[in-house]
Amino acid sequence: PYPVSNDQVDDFSYAWTDSRQNSEIINYNWIDIENENILEFENNDTATEINIGFDFPFYDQNYTTCLINPNGWIGFEEDDEGWNNQAVFDEESPNAAIFAFWDDLNPAYSGNELGSGEIKYHSDSNRLVIWFDDVIHWTDTDRVYNFQLILYTSGEIKINYQSMQGDVESGTIGIKSPTGDSGLEVVYNDSFIENNLALSFNTS
């Protein structure tokens, strides 16, 4: 069975683990993507839609596109411009979503002159890599976050945290089903992240 870092398994048998607790099974392995596409956004709270490149199974649906929101999460059905991250199961939190590090982020190419850091992606027949490359926080430019979200054809979701500078206790990490009834919350505004850490969601 899939290794579980705690007793959390949701109604669809999703569980999560990380490289601190299961390093023999889940390794931190940063992916340097080539020929990456750099995303532009209408503003720093509005998502841009991309093609995944394959059918990605998420809960009881298969998706061929996803919405990449500049605030550190991706969704599969509807965008949400909420910049103030909430707990995974809060009514204001988007459904059908993967929260890699949901916080009030401000990348470049997002409609303002203050943004810094790029959001890039690359897909092939096996995986989609979405890279938040040194993206700053909206209110504090000393908070610089470098992490990537990987979707695999198998349905596994992996997040690599390479270099997370400044406050890392202000984000939401987890997954939420399309109906909003199921999901997993790893952390909400609390300590969890460290540099060179890998996190994985998969069905048990």
Side-chain angles (χ1 to χ4, degrees), residues 12 17 21 30 33 36 43 49 56 60 69-70 75 78 81 123 131-132 135 150-151 166 195:
F12 287 79
T17 191
Q21 301 185 57
W30 185 263
I33 58 177
E36 71 272 3
N43 60 63
E49 186 175 40
F56 177 69
D60 56 353
N69 190 285
E78 295 183 2
E81 296 186 355
S123 66
W131 179 10
F132 287 72
V135 174
I150 307 109
L151 307 183
N195 292 340

Side-chain angles (χ1 to χ4, degrees), residues 16-19 157-159 161 173 186 192 197-201:
W16 69 269
T17 191
D18 66 72
S19 56
I157 302 157
K158 188 174 181 181
I159 308 170
Y161 302 98
I173 301 170
V186 177
F192 172 79
L197 174 69
L199 169 67
S200 177
F201 298 92

Side-chain angles (χ1 to χ4, degrees), residues 59-163:
Y59 286 91
D60 56 353
Q61 304 289 329
N62 285 306
Y63 296 97
T64 59
T65 63
C66 71
L67 296 160
I68 301 179
N69 190 285
N71 287 326
W73 64 275
I74 70 169
F76 298 101
E77 296 193 359
E78 295 183 2
D79 191 22
D80 188 307
E81 296 186 355
W83 56 268
N84 186 22
N85 62 295
Q86 305 294 325
V88 167
F89 291 105
D90 191 279
E91 291 183 357
E92 296 182 4
S93 298
N95 296 338
I98 302 170
F99 308 105
F101 187 72
W102 181 19
D103 203 348
D104 190 12
L105 306 184
N106 189 28
Y109 312 116
S110 58
N112 68 83
E113 297 179 354
L114 302 177
S116 181
E118 298 172 337
I119 300 177
K120 312 170 183 178
Y121 75 95
H122 178 265
S123 66
D124 56 31
S125 59
N126 297 310
R127 68 191 180 195
L128 166 67
V129 181
I130 302 165
W131 179 10
F132 287 72
D133 184 5
D134 287 340
V135 174
I136 63 171
H137 192 273
W138 174 255
T139 61
D140 184 355
T141 57
D142 290 330
R143 295 159 69 174
V144 183
Y145 303 127
N146 193 22
F147 61 95
Q148 60 183 197
L149 172 63
I150 307 109
L151 307 183
Y152 293 92
T153 56
S154 64
E156 182 185 6
I157 302 157
K158 188 174 181 181
I159 308 170
N160 289 323
Y161 302 98
Q162 185 184 69
S163 176

